[in-house]
Amino acid sequence: MIKEKKIYYRHAFEMAWPSVLESFFIAMAGLIDTYMVSSLGSFAVAAVGLTNQPKFIGFTIFFAINVAVSALVARRKGERDKYRANEALLTAFLITMICVVFITIIMVKFASPLLKFSGSNKDTHAPAMMYFRIIMGGMVFSTISMVINAAQRGSGNTQIAFTTNLVSSVVNIIFNYLLIGGNLGFPKLGIAGAAIATVLGTVVATIMSIRSLFKRDSFVQIRYMIKEKIKPGVETAISIAKLGVNLLAENLAVRVGFMTTAMMAAKLGTDAFASHNVGMSLLSLGFAFADGMQVAAVALTGSALGAGKKEEAKNYGKTCQTIGLAISIVLSIILFVFGESIFRLYFKEEHIIKMGVMISEFLMIIILLQISQIIYGGCLRAAGDVKYTLFASIISVTIIRTFATYFLVVVMDLGLKGIWLGILSDQFTRYILMSFRFRRGKWVDIKI
């Protein structure tokens, strides 16, 4: 029994470490992004933060496609069906390219009303719109890299996604330095420079992701597609749609809650919103670790289910959850010790730092719940239990988070504390719902 546990932990670590580091470096790049932009003032931090929710709404359909293709490729890997795994990637890629054209046009054209709806004011609207249009104009590169990496993760190759995103983050940080402040002879572009740096990072990631498909040992590869004359499949598209529609609805439900929270936080003023956005960046660091463990959980449980090993799938889920819990405890301790110091890196104003200390106290609890519920949710999605994860998201994020935040901020007038109490209520509810479903174990019987 002890030997079996060691095997599960070894496989989980082997699969997880590239994904965890990948997500960590992406989140760190975001924190460094915010730090570099903070040199321009709190208005710049608030302006960039305003773009987050509209940006994620634009990417929602691609997140859904990527989770679907990752789950399908993992299942086909377990079934040792290389043909259908490659067909899944090719089909998902075609769907992605069609969607990205329309979404890019819509996001760039309607940037101004979207940001006004998100809570921009006279201090933040113009810089936020400039940043948003550049980011969304270059989203084609992000989506190509995302769909290829999703398929690679599903096949068990988590290292390529780690490598591409690490290099992308480094490129982003370098060009942040060069373009935000105009260093080493480069033009001083401010917020626009930060956006251009992000796009340049995704261009590099896209090139590296495409190159990974030419490696002979890759389970999904272009040579194999050409040799077998693989074409996008109607049945595969239907499978992606069945999983994707529920995942899309779930992501949209999540975005409703997130957008509502961001809008209410924006109405508290530029300084409060700037502090809130640094808090959200720190929360994204917790998400990064959770997402990395979720990638391992999806690949391992999906492959086990494809091979018909249901108990093994459950054990991999439990193993990833245990590792995730240990990570969340360490992160909470770091926030307890260094929370105030982190906010002092971004702001000099004592009243903003005081807000940050309060946010850090909430983050210590939220991260413990967040990492666990994300890993549980990843196992359920890998198995195809997407209707339940949709239900859980609607209950926790769309309904509880939205109404709790409105009541606490508007009715009880708790300000920023009300915002973070609303976030805590959402994470607690999702933890209860996801952990309950996972422990019942019926998710292993679903066919996709």
Side-chain angles (χ1 to χ4, degrees):
M1 187 69 177
I2 295 173
K3 187 177 179 181
E4 280 186 7
K5 281 189 176 182
K6 285 183 178 178
I7 292 171
Y8 287 126
Y9 276 102
R10 189 180 76 245
H11 287 169
F13 275 116
E14 287 173 354
M15 190 70 69
W17 76 259
S19 299
V20 169
L21 287 178
E22 171 203 348
S23 297
F24 172 76
F25 283 118
I26 291 172
M28 280 302 298
L31 281 168
I32 294 169
D33 234 16
T34 305
Y35 173 72
M36 289 179 162
V37 166
S38 70
S39 64
L40 303 172
S42 61
F43 83 93
V45 177
V48 172
L50 275 165
T51 67
N52 284 336
Q53 296 314 316
K55 178 179 72 177
F56 283 125
I57 287 172
F59 277 95
T60 294
I61 190 168
F62 306 109
F63 294 148
I65 292 169
N66 293 337
V67 175
V69 74
S70 191
L72 285 170
V73 171
R75 188 66 68 96
R76 303 302 170 242
K77 177 76 180 288
E79 295 167 350
R80 299 184 179 181
D81 191 342
K82 190 172 182 177
Y83 185 95
R84 290 174 69 199
N86 280 268
E87 185 182 76
L89 170 57
L90 190 60
T91 306
F93 183 84
L94 178 62
I95 295 169
T96 296
M97 289 301 95
I98 293 170
C99 292
V100 76
V101 172
F102 291 102
I103 292 173
T104 299
I105 292 169
I106 291 168
M107 289 290 157
V108 172
K109 183 175 177 60
F110 296 102
S112 183
L114 276 170
L115 291 168
K116 283 181 180 177
F117 181 74
S118 300
S120 65
N121 56 36
K122 63 179 182 180
D123 294 331
T124 57
H125 185 73
M129 190 163 68
M130 182 191 303
Y131 184 90
F132 184 71
R133 280 182 165 160
I134 294 170
I135 292 291
M136 301 313 288
M139 71 184 297
V140 62
F141 300 108
S142 298
T143 56
I144 291 172
S145 179
M146 284 163 59
V147 73
I148 294 172
N149 286 350
Q152 292 284 21
R153 289 190 194 102
S155 72
N157 184 2
T158 54
Q159 291 193 28
I160 181 59
F162 160 63
T163 306
T164 57
N165 283 297
L166 173 60
V167 174
S168 173
S169 297
V170 171
V171 170
N172 183 8
I173 292 166
I174 290 170
F175 279 95
N176 271 341
Y177 173 74
L178 297 174
L179 297 176
I180 292 175
N183 293 299
L184 301 180
F186 281 79
K188 185 177 180 179
L189 301 178
I191 287 177
I196 293 169
T198 300
V199 173
L200 289 174
T202 63
V203 171
V204 173
T206 300
I207 294 168
M208 294 179 68
S209 297
I210 292 171
R211 282 189 64 191
S212 75
L213 296 177
F214 286 91
K215 294 185 176 180
R216 294 187 181 277
D217 60 345
S218 179
F219 192 68
V220 284
Q221 58 174 268
I222 288 174
R223 285 191 183 92
Y224 182 83
M225 293 179 194
I226 294 170
K227 179 184 174 183
E228 298 296 327
K229 298 179 180 178
I230 296 174
K231 297 178 181 178
V234 176
E235 286 187 15
T236 302
I238 292 170
S239 295
I240 292 171
K242 282 180 179 178
L243 288 171
V245 165
N246 285 283
L247 291 165
L248 175 60
E250 180 187 345
N251 282 325
L252 287 173
V254 166
R255 289 302 144 199
V256 168
F258 284 16
M259 177 71 87
T260 305
T261 300
M263 288 167 63
M264 283 190 265
K267 289 179 180 178
L268 297 175
T270 301
D271 289 349
F273 192 53
S275 181
H276 171 75
N277 280 316
V278 172
M280 291 303 291
S281 294
L282 289 171
L283 185 59
S284 73
L285 194 60
F287 174 82
F289 285 101
D291 190 48
M293 291 309 306
Q294 177 184 220
V295 167
V298 168
L300 291 167
T301 58
S303 182
L305 289 172
K309 300 174 181 177
K310 296 180 181 180
E311 284 304 312
E312 186 175 288
K314 291 179 185 178
N315 287 330
Y316 274 127
K318 291 174 184 175
T319 302
C320 290
Q321 168 59 30
T322 303
I323 298 170
L325 179 60
I327 292 170
S328 66
I329 291 170
V330 172
L331 290 175
S332 291
I333 293 170
I334 291 170
L335 282 166
F336 176 76
V337 177
F338 300 108
E340 181 177 343
S341 300
I342 292 169
F343 276 86
R344 286 192 181 277
L345 292 173
Y346 292 87
F347 307 108
K348 293 182 177 66
E349 301 88 345
E350 287 298 324
H351 69 285
I352 301 181
I353 293 167
K354 188 177 179 181
M355 297 177 200
V357 172
M358 179 269 294
I359 290 170
S360 295
E361 291 169 354
F362 277 103
L363 284 169
M364 285 185 283
I365 303 168
I366 290 169
I367 282 175
L368 293 171
L369 301 168
Q370 179 199 45
I371 292 180
S372 291
Q373 64 89 0
I374 287 173
I375 295 169
Y376 282 135
C379 294
L380 299 179
R381 294 183 191 98
D385 197 4
V386 289
K387 288 184 179 178
Y388 182 82
T389 58
L390 168 60
F391 161 78
S393 293
I394 290 173
I395 294 295
S396 59
V397 191
T398 312
I399 297 175
I400 291 178
R401 178 171 176 155
T402 300
F403 285 98
T405 305
Y406 178 84
F407 176 77
L408 293 165
V409 175
V410 178
V411 179
M412 298 299 293
D413 196 25
L414 292 179
L416 204 54
K417 184 178 288 186
I419 295 287
W420 284 88
L421 280 168
I423 295 171
L424 176 60
S425 68
D426 155 36
Q427 293 291 343
F428 178 74
T429 307
R430 269 195 280 180
Y431 171 77
I432 295 298
L433 292 172
M434 296 297 189
S435 60
F436 170 77
R437 187 70 163 189
F438 177 89
R439 286 167 181 154
R440 285 194 69 189
K442 292 184 178 180
W443 53 277
V444 298
D445 297 319
I446 297 171
K447 302 288 184 184
I448 61 172

